[in-house]
Amino acid sequence: MSETKTLTLARAINEGLRRSLENDPKVLLMGEDIGALGGVFRVTDGLQKDFGEDRVVDTPLAESGILGTAIGLALRGYRPVCEIQFDGFIFPAYDQITTQLAKMGYRSGGKLQVPVVIRVPYGGGIGAVEHHSESPEALFAHTAGLRVVSPSTPQDAFTMIQEAIASPDPVLFFEPKGRYWEKGPVAASGRGEGSTVLDRAQVVRPGTDLTLVAYGPTVATALRVAAAAEQEGRSIEVVDLRSISPLDTATVVESVRRTGRCVVVHEAPTYLGSGAEVAARVTEECFYSLEAPVLRVGGFHTPYPVAKIEHDYLPSLDRVLDAVDRAFAF
Amino acid sequence: MTHHDAADGVSTPPDLPDVAGGPDDAPLLQLVTPAGARVTTPETDAYRERVAHLDAAALRGLYRDMVLTRRFDDEATSLQRQGELGLFAQSKGQEAAQIGSGRALAPQDYVFPSYREHGVSHVRGIDPTARLRLFRGVDHGGWDPTEHNVHLYTLVIGSHALHATGYAMGVQRDGLVGSGDPGRDTAVVTYFGDGATSQGDVNEALVFAAVNNAPVVFFCQNNQWAISEPTTKQSRVPLYRRGGGFGIPSVRVDGNDVLACYAVTAEALERARTGGGPTFVEAFTYRMGAHTTSDDPTKYRSRAQEEYWRRRDPIDRLENLLRAEGAWDDAFAADVAAEADALGERLRDEVRALAAPDPSTMFDHVYATPNAVVEREKAWFADYQQSFEEPAAEVAR
Ligand SMILES: Cc1ncc(C[n+]2csc(CCOP(=O)(O)OP(=O)(O)O)c2C)c(N)n1
């Protein structure tokens, strides 16, 4: 009974949450302003009305409290899906996430499971004030025990949120807020292809000369770069990682072995960022296939700047094209 | 705590029912009724003394402060609507709480605001345009905190309550508490909302302040809403009662009564400066506008509630008082209105003129010392910028 609709990415997540709430009575949503308001981005719009205040819970304004109690609920058999209102406000909960949530399963020798999902609208480009545009995914990917994923399309958003909720592991679900309003087709049939979707990278555009690796908000940029480069006769393959931890190294390596060049793009600072991990893996595994060093395009080693100059910080079409040129110049 | 006893002794005005659905079962200290009459119960004696020196001219000064703050809000909101600001958070409705508490401060006192303390900023002399730099997206701060003794606005809810407490602990170590010299003794005040009281940081701040007897005043503006969540989602008891559990004298004041806010703050500041330690003030008020310009309050609150509070506008209350005491005159009102118009005009011009900073400044002040990573990236960025400028310049020629 497959049915394809055109949905925004935000709406696709909403539909995915709705499915999960319908299919599993243990699923519950918790967060600030997610009820009557439907969240500040309206991702949970209408869900409290349909599922009630016990399943879609407006919490006190306390992130450590949200995550700490979610851990307790998960220990009691529930599957809490926590919304953090903005990327920069996850840090009051950082302690609970990294010292407790990530390590429960390990410490108990596998006897405990804490299937908590943390939804985080992240990334910039929306002209916001400080703490509303950050990309802290590497901080979480560096912590063993957490899965860190980010969808780039409405279809993936719809499927991946359901996979994340079904996962027995804690999942950081980073939502590219700058892409919330972009529309795409969503085949709303079932839960997708099982857990593979959550951590399998996908070639979203085939090419032969260079591999652009991106995830979340930068996948759309990478596709625009590939289209622009095509005008210059360059065939660029775009790989959407989907999962930052674990990393689907095999898909990336297979691609770079064919193309011989690799540029990694993300909004977070490049310094010690997830692109560094990709670059190191590619260098280790594709050394003899590489025509150029693996290059990275991302944010700088500065706090996220003020809105009026954020476009000089973010990996723009021009900055990625510049890196592509440099990769071809070797 | 004797302090809430004192506040508890004041009866709830009959025209302040619990329409917000918030914990409103505690009385509010009030010195002026919404109709503009002075409250003269024996329980308010001590607080009335604290405002006894405010003569007609001083009351008109408070009125002027509140009107200018209101105009600042309205102007900034329309600038946001015109696309000149990325976002704005109004203080509309909270002017009495901010001006009353702000005017009770001594110059040497230090303020740690949240992000809608425009009335307090006004009182401390922060340039109105500077206050909008953050919201325009040209600056993360906007003013020199040490020049005004006002820390930068803090956007992470509740973080700054700890900074205020630590700062107060520093003041204490510096011997600026209880020295007996009112020109030297210093208090610290931090402002936050009802929602913020749920944060661990605010609770930890109360712990540190209490055990260190720090000279800090926690000024909670309970505007009844944390974005869409009413105070009942944060607490089952009136917020001021939380203070008692930490061993901190606490008082609940009518936040729309500028004189009452002045009086409780003056008392709390004096306690802090003289070595009496922290105070928790809950100023019960109402956020008349949206949470920010991105918020849609029609999704979660009723028109009736908004209308109820519109009729309890703190500025109208002070006007009523001025009129009742024969301290109102139309020429004065016209002067204030003209000053507000001039402020509006000035804001429109100056805000529009606030240009984006040079993008290369994003690499400045990341560290106080030279940093190899930042310098390398800054140099790369300069080269990259240059690569665009050269061909463009050729075209121009
Ligand atoms: C740690 C943190 N979490 C979430 C937010 C998003 N947020 C901004 S303001 C706000 C509500 C604050 O309510 P309250 O403390 O009552 O202050 P008010 O805005 O009403 O003055 C929220 C949830 C934030 N800024 N910081």
Side-chain angles (χ1 to χ4, degrees):
Chain A
M1 46 168 289
S2 153
E3 170 202 352
T4 300
K5 301 189 219 171
T6 301
L7 299 177
T8 63
L9 193 141
R11 191 74 208 171
I13 298 169
N14 180 283
E15 298 275 333
L17 292 170
R18 176 176 291 277
R19 285 279 181 117
S20 299
L21 285 161
E22 273 163 8
N23 294 340
D24 183 350
K26 294 292 189 187
V27 171
L28 62 114
L29 312 189
M30 39 201 294
E32 297 158 11
D33 305 293
I34 67 170
L37 189 65
V40 293
F41 290 106
R42 309 290 183 266
V43 172
T44 55
D45 201 23
L47 296 177
Q48 188 180 67
K49 189 163 88 21
D50 295 345
F51 294 92
E53 292 192 21
D54 279 349
R55 303 221 33 221
V56 180
V57 185
D58 268 333
T59 64
L61 208 180
E63 288 77 10
S64 181
I66 295 171
L67 259 297
T69 56
I71 290 171
L73 282 157
L75 291 173
R76 186 67 199 176
Y78 287 87
R79 301 187 96 84
V81 183
C82 305
E83 174 174 304
I84 295 293
Q85 203 156 73
F86 280 93
D87 35 65
F89 305 138
I90 198 168
F91 297 106
Y94 191 72
D95 170 45
Q96 287 290 345
I97 298 169
T98 56
T99 72
Q100 304 302 316
L101 183 64
K103 298 174 172 65
M104 273 304 156
Y106 191 70
R107 285 169 57 213
S108 66
K111 291 188 184 65
L112 299 176
Q113 286 186 348
V114 273
V116 175
V117 174
I118 310 166
R119 297 184 31 244
V120 192
Y122 82 121
I126 62 163
V129 291
E130 65 169 344
H131 311 301
H132 291 73
S133 304
E134 293 164 19
S135 300
E137 63 272 17
L139 294 172
F140 297 96
H142 198 68
T143 301
L146 303 173
R147 300 178 74 167
V148 181
V149 305
S150 178
S152 68
T153 62
Q155 179 66 67
D156 275 358
F158 173 75
T159 317
M160 286 168 66
I161 189 64
Q162 294 177 72
E163 297 297 338
I165 295 169
S167 165
D169 283 314
V171 181
L172 272 292
F173 192 84
F174 280 99
E175 302 173 1
K177 71 167 91 78
R179 309 281 181 198
Y180 266 151
W181 302 278
E182 286 179 18
K183 289 185 176 170
V186 176
S189 58
R191 247 179 53 196
E193 313 121 58
S195 62
T196 51
V197 169
L198 198 57
D199 55 16
R200 281 284 166 273
Q202 196 187 17
V203 175
V204 290
R205 177 188 165 115
T208 54
D209 303 340
L210 181 143
T211 302
L212 264 182
V213 178
Y215 56 85
T218 55
V219 173
T221 313
L223 288 169
R224 284 170 53 222
V225 168
E230 195 173 33
Q231 315 279 306
E232 296 170 24
R234 285 170 177 165
S235 166
I236 293 191
E237 179 147 308
V238 178
V239 176
D240 177 358
L241 286 180
R242 284 181 175 148
S243 174
I244 298 126
S245 180
L247 202 60
D248 178 4
T249 313
T251 300
V252 179
V253 162
E254 194 280 322
S255 171
V256 179
R257 285 211 175 115
R258 274 190 289 104
T259 64
R261 294 179 181 83
C262 180
V263 174
V264 196
V265 190
H266 53 60
E267 290 192 9
T270 55
Y271 189 66
L272 294 173
S274 43
E277 181 66 29
V278 176
R281 297 276 158 204
V282 167
T283 307
E284 277 174 26
E285 299 200 27
C286 311
F287 189 69
Y288 293 106
S289 318
L290 284 172
E291 308 278 348
V294 183
L295 300 176
R296 290 170 292 156
V297 185
F300 300 110
H301 191 58
T302 70
Y304 194 86
V306 295
K308 289 282 186 211
I309 55 172
E310 69 179 325
H311 290 289
D312 289 292
Y313 173 94
L314 291 167
S316 60
L317 181 76
D318 281 338
R319 264 179 63 203
V320 182
L321 278 171
D322 171 75
V324 167
D325 284 346
R326 280 186 282 138
F328 278 101
F330 275 93
Chain B
M1 293 287 112
T2 49
H3 260 280
H4 18 100
D5 293 342
D8 280 346
V10 183
S11 60
T12 309
D15 55 353
L16 275 173
D18 178 9
V19 290
D24 194 24
D25 54 328
L28 302 165
L29 171 81
Q30 201 179 58
L31 294 182
V32 179
T33 67
R38 300 258 186 182
V39 176
T40 55
T41 57
E43 293 86 353
T44 59
D45 279 353
Y47 289 109
R48 265 187 288 128
E49 269 170 39
R50 298 215 175 250
V51 296
H53 67 289
L54 297 175
D55 59 11
L59 295 182
R60 284 198 294 263
L62 295 174
Y63 176 84
R64 175 184 167 274
D65 287 337
M66 288 165 68
V67 170
L68 291 179
T69 302
R70 177 70 56 92
R71 176 59 70 97
F72 172 81
D73 269 351
D74 290 345
E75 209 59 56
T77 305
S78 38
L79 282 165
Q80 195 281 335
R81 296 277 175 253
Q82 294 155 19
E84 299 291 341
L85 300 176
L87 181 85
F88 183 64
Q90 290 190 323
S91 56
K92 188 171 183 167
Q94 301 179 215
E95 293 91 350
Q98 297 196 9
I99 301 299
S101 61
R103 282 290 173 208
L105 294 166
Q108 71 273 20
D109 293 338
Y110 206 97
V111 178
F112 283 84
S114 177
Y115 44 77
R116 65 168 94 251
E117 271 64 71
H118 313 312
V120 182
S121 306
H122 160 82
V123 165
R124 299 300 276 188
I126 296 173
D127 179 68
T129 306
R131 275 177 250 153
L132 294 176
R133 295 177 66 85
L134 169 85
F135 295 103
R136 187 164 167 87
V138 299
D139 205 319
H140 279 323
W143 59 86
D144 176 356
T146 57
E147 188 185 325
H148 302 276
N149 279 9
V150 179
H151 188 68
L152 303 176
Y153 283 175
T154 295
L155 293 175
V156 182
I157 300 295
S159 289
H160 57 295
L162 279 166
H163 310 158
T165 303
Y167 193 95
M169 288 158 63
V171 165
Q172 194 177 33
R173 272 153 215 261
D174 291 344
L176 296 174
V177 172
S179 80
D181 178 352
R184 265 166 51 87
D185 281 344
T186 301
V188 179
V189 56
T190 178
Y191 291 86
F192 50 84
D194 43 307
T197 63
S198 295
Q199 285 288 354
D201 278 3
V202 171
N203 289 275
E204 292 181 24
L206 293 168
V207 170
F208 275 75
V211 300
N212 290 292
N213 204 44
V216 56
V217 177
F218 296 95
F219 196 94
C220 173
Q221 289 171 83
N222 179 358
N223 66 13
Q224 306 183 46
W225 292 96
I227 310 189
S228 71
E229 298 191 12
T231 315
T232 43
K233 293 285 177 195
Q234 318 292 339
S235 182
R236 294 294 298 273
V237 298
L239 292 173
Y240 83 99
R241 286 215 189 116
R242 297 259 189 95
F246 291 93
I248 295 179
S250 304
V251 56
R252 189 170 207 239
V253 62
D254 185 331
N256 285 12
D257 175 352
V258 68
L259 291 189
C261 290
Y262 183 100
V264 299
T265 312
E267 179 196 53
L269 291 169
E270 183 181 294
R271 177 177 302 123
R273 292 195 202 103
T274 55
T279 304
F280 186 98
V281 177
E282 177 194 359
F284 190 79
T285 179
Y286 191 73
R287 185 193 84 207
M288 291 174 80
H291 170 70
T292 65
T293 42
S294 337
D295 176 42
D296 175 9
T298 63
K299 286 228 158 207
Y300 55 81
R301 72 183 187 189
S302 71
R303 281 225 168 254
Q305 186 190 98
E306 290 176 5
E307 180 54 25
Y308 174 88
W309 284 95
R310 206 187 55 71
R311 283 186 274 111
R312 274 145 193 85
D313 190 315
I315 299 183
D316 293 345
R317 186 181 316 194
L318 186 54
E319 179 178 334
N320 293 342
L321 176 74
L322 287 167
R323 286 182 187 279
E325 300 194 343
W328 180 265
D329 75 76
D330 292 340
F332 157 74
D335 267 5
V336 172
E339 196 177 343
D341 288 344
L343 170 68
E345 199 173 322
R346 189 185 137 201
L347 272 180
R348 286 196 294 278
D349 292 346
E350 292 185 2
V351 167
R352 289 204 175 94
L354 287 178
D358 180 327
S360 70
T361 58
M362 87 171 94
F363 298 97
D364 298 342
H365 310 297
V366 181
Y367 295 92
T369 52
N371 181 283
V373 178
V374 177
E375 277 170 15
R376 197 171 55 234
E377 292 187 354
K378 183 173 185 167
W380 178 87
F381 184 73
D383 284 349
Y384 174 72
Q385 292 275 80
Q386 196 112 42
S387 73
F388 288 100
E389 277 155 22
E390 277 160 5
E394 274 161 30
V395 171
R397 258 180 254 138

